[in-house]
């Protein structure tokens, strides 16, 4: 019975293969489109017409992509795999798709992306990874996919994202970040700086809403003040030390937005931003006031002591003169009243 069905199936597949369109799909030669959506596929259908440029596979149950799944369709420009059951993507999954421009992977179960999954896609413009369970994107993610203009990672499990990753996508125009458990500590400081400059350059984004720590839950990352990132290590330790010693002159030449971050203590192992760091300049001012106050106080005390000593000396001298010199004069000419100066001579 089973064998009978298999035979029928293979015959049907063979017929469709000859016709150049898989069973259950609809192929349109003029628009170079294969419509295979809502068909219950669990794998990429074989025997697709090699000339197609648009492949619609949304709303199926495709759970894996082989290295050679797309070898037969090298001219694909738009690949829609949204609403399927993909949980991981092999490194070479899309490698054959040199002309791919739009890749839609929204509504899958992807939790991990390999370093090179999206490499070698030089014409990729739109990449939709929204509504998955991605916890991390590799740093080399954008390597050789520099033409991406739209990236959506909405509704995933991202807590942070490397700044280098975004910097490797220089043509990005739209980036969607919402609905991720963003961790607004030092991990996202680079992302904050990148996002500010991206928006300044006219980029479009739906923003980053913090999820943790508790006190910043629901807050817009762009509105979290720089001072709270004062404790974050920005560069290598010696630069930080130099920046502290030289009032961070070097840091002023780095991105504009960073200049508040130069205040505070670097090289802390604790990655949590300090709750209320006090800027170095303010602390210096306070120290100066305190030291000046102490010095003034000491000088005043010394002057007071000198004055007291002087007065006491004068009083004692006067008393001495009165008690010891006056009687001598009384013996001489008691009526004569000699001037005080004369008595000293
Ligand atoms: C996703 O695909 C399933 C079939 O696999 C379908 O029943 C469901 O309606 C689709 N969901 C959306 C939002 O299109
Ligand atoms: C991915 O790249 C990172 C560095 O960018 C490297 O440390 C890691 O080992 C790579 N992972 C794999 C599986 O190649
Ligand atoms: C971007 O696309 C152009 C053609 O449209 C291509 O020549 C170029 O190599 C691509 N850039 C990158 C970084 O892949
Ligand atoms: C991906 O597909 C979904 C529907 O399944 C659509 O809403 C979304 O706009 C598509 N993304 C892109 C980048 O075209
Ligand atoms: C990008 O690719 C080039 C060559 O393939 C490599 O030298 C470079 O290290 C890669 N960059 C990252 C960040 O992986």
């Amino acid at each position: 019975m089973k064998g009978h069905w298999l035979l029928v199936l293979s015959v049907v597949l063979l017929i469709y293969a000859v016709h150049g369109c898989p069973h259950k799909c609809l192929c349109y030669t003029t628009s170079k489109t294969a419509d295979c959506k809502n068909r219950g596929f669990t794998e990429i259908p074989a025997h697709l017409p090699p000339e197609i440029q648009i492949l619609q596979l949304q709303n199926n149950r495709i759970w894996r992509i082989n290295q050679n799944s797309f070898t037969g369709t090298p001219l694909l420009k738009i690949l829609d795999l949204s609403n399927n059951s993909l949980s991981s993507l092999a490194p070479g999954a899309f490698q054959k798709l040199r002309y791919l421009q739009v890749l839609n992977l929204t509504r899958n179960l992807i939790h991990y992306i390999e370093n090179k999954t999206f490499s070698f896609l030089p014409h990729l413009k739109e990449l939709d990874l929204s509504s998955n369970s991605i916890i991390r994107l590799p740093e080399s993610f954008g390597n050789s996919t520099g033409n991406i203009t739209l990236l959506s990672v909405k509704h995933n499990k991202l807590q942070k994202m490397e700044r280098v990753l975004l910097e490797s996508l220089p043509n990005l125009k739209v980036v969607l970040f919402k609905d991720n458990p963003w961790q607004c500590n030092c991990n996202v400081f680079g992302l904050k700086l990148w996002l500010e400059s991206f928006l300044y350059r006219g980029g479009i984004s739906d923003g980053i809403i913090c999820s943790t720590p508790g006190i910043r839950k629901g807050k817009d990352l762009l509105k979290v003040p720089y001072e709270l990132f004062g404790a974050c290590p920005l560069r290598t330790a010696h630069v930080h030390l130099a920046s502290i010693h030289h009032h961070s002159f070097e840091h002023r030449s780095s991105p504009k937005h960073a200049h508040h971050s130069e205040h505070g203590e670097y090289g802390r192992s604790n990655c949590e931003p300090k709750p209320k760091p006090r800027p170095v300049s303010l602390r210096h001012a306070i120290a100066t006031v305190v030291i000046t106050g102490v010095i003034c106080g000491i000088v005043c005390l010394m002057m007071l002591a000198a004055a007291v000593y002087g007065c006491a000396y004068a009083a004692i001298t006067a008393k001495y003169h009165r008690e010891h010199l006056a009687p001598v004069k009384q013996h001489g000419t008691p009526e004569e009243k000699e001037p005080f100066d004369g008595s000293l001579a």
Side-chain angles (χ1 to χ4, degrees):
M1 196 63 188
K2 216 171 188 179
H4 175 72
W5 272 111
L6 272 177
L7 187 70
V8 170
L9 195 67
S10 10
V11 167
V12 166
L13 278 177
L14 201 66
I15 289 164
Y16 276 89
V18 168
H19 279 255
C21 195
H23 173 55
K24 299 197 278 189
C25 293
L26 298 169
C27 298
Y28 306 95
T29 40
T30 42
S31 58
K32 296 186 168 137
T33 300
D35 174 358
C36 306
K37 53 180 186 280
N38 294 299
R39 297 291 174 197
F41 283 114
T42 55
E43 296 201 17
I44 307 292
H47 310 296
L48 287 158
E51 71 278 6
I52 55 161
Q53 296 182 353
I54 301 172
L55 177 53
Q56 297 174 324
L57 282 168
Q58 58 266 48
N59 309 337
N60 283 293
R61 290 194 299 274
I62 296 165
W63 62 279
R64 71 168 175 187
I65 297 174
N66 295 328
Q67 285 243 333
N68 48 9
S69 287
F70 298 109
T71 38
T73 51
L75 303 176
L76 277 187
K77 286 185 176 166
I78 299 175
L79 175 55
D80 193 338
L81 280 163
S82 60
N83 190 25
N84 274 281
S85 309
L86 294 165
S87 59
S88 62
L89 301 169
F94 307 108
Q95 206 169 331
K96 303 291 183 324
L97 300 176
R98 302 250 146 202
Y99 304 100
L100 197 62
Q101 293 177 5
V102 179
L103 177 54
N104 197 336
L105 288 164
T106 187
R107 287 177 171 272
N108 274 277
L109 310 166
I110 303 163
H111 51 86
Y112 181 74
I113 285 175
E114 305 263 4
N115 281 356
K116 294 200 168 147
T117 302
F118 301 115
S119 298
F120 319 110
L121 297 174
H123 297 277
L124 192 62
K125 286 188 167 60
E126 298 186 6
L127 178 56
D128 194 339
L129 293 171
S130 58
S131 299
N132 278 284
S133 305
I134 301 166
I135 49 171
R136 149 173 193 281
L137 290 178
E139 266 185 37
S140 53
F141 169 83
N143 208 355
S144 62
T145 48
N147 277 341
I148 289 188
T149 57
L150 180 145
L151 173 66
S152 176
V153 291
K154 269 195 304 192
H155 203 79
N156 272 287
K157 298 212 166 91
L158 294 166
Q159 297 190 329
K160 60 172 182 172
M161 193 184 276
E162 307 301 330
R163 191 180 177 179
V164 269
L165 188 161
L166 291 157
E167 278 169 352
S168 68
L169 306 174
N171 294 312
L172 213 51
K173 302 280 181 296
V174 181
V175 60
L176 303 174
F177 287 127
K178 274 239 170 92
D179 293 325
N180 276 283
W182 297 110
Q183 206 172 41
C184 290
N185 57 16
C186 296
N187 287 335
V188 294
F189 188 50
L191 185 54
K192 175 179 164 80
L193 299 181
W194 178 85
L195 187 56
E196 281 178 354
S197 92
F198 176 71
L199 295 174
Y200 179 78
R201 285 181 276 121
I204 296 167
S205 177
D206 57 356
I208 291 178
I209 305 300
C210 301
S211 171
T212 53
I215 46 162
R216 283 190 275 287
K217 190 177 169 71
K219 282 209 177 132
D220 185 342
L221 177 64
L222 291 178
K223 293 191 179 124
V224 176
Y226 296 106
E227 281 75 9
L228 298 181
F229 295 97
C232 298
L234 259 191
R235 296 192 186 173
T236 53
H238 82 273
V239 174
H240 296 152
L241 285 175
S243 71
I244 288 170
H245 289 310
H246 298 115
H247 262 251
S248 30
F249 184 77
E250 296 93 328
H251 274 224
R252 296 226 164 95
S253 56
S254 65
K256 272 183 292 207
H257 314 293
H259 68 94
H260 282 276
S261 69
E262 67 207 21
H263 308 303
E265 292 143 10
Y266 292 90
R268 288 176 147 219
S269 53
N270 184 5
C271 199
E272 253 320 281
K274 283 199 297 177
K276 266 185 188 171
R278 199 174 263 173
V280 166
S281 55
L282 182 57
R283 272 186 278 150
H284 278 200
I286 289 172
T288 310
V289 166
V290 168
I291 289 168
T292 313
V294 167
I295 290 172
C296 280
I298 290 171
V299 168
C300 286
L301 280 175
M302 283 168 75
M303 283 169 72
L304 190 66
V308 167
Y309 179 77
C311 287
Y313 181 79
I316 289 165
T317 315
K319 200 173 172 220
Y320 175 82
H321 281 299
R322 252 183 275 120
E323 284 175 6
H324 297 273
L325 299 177
V328 176
K329 281 167 198 155
Q330 270 168 8
H331 287 295
T333 49
E335 284 84 16
E336 265 180 83
K337 267 229 159 194
E338 289 212 8
F340 187 70
D341 285 2
S343 67
L344 286 171

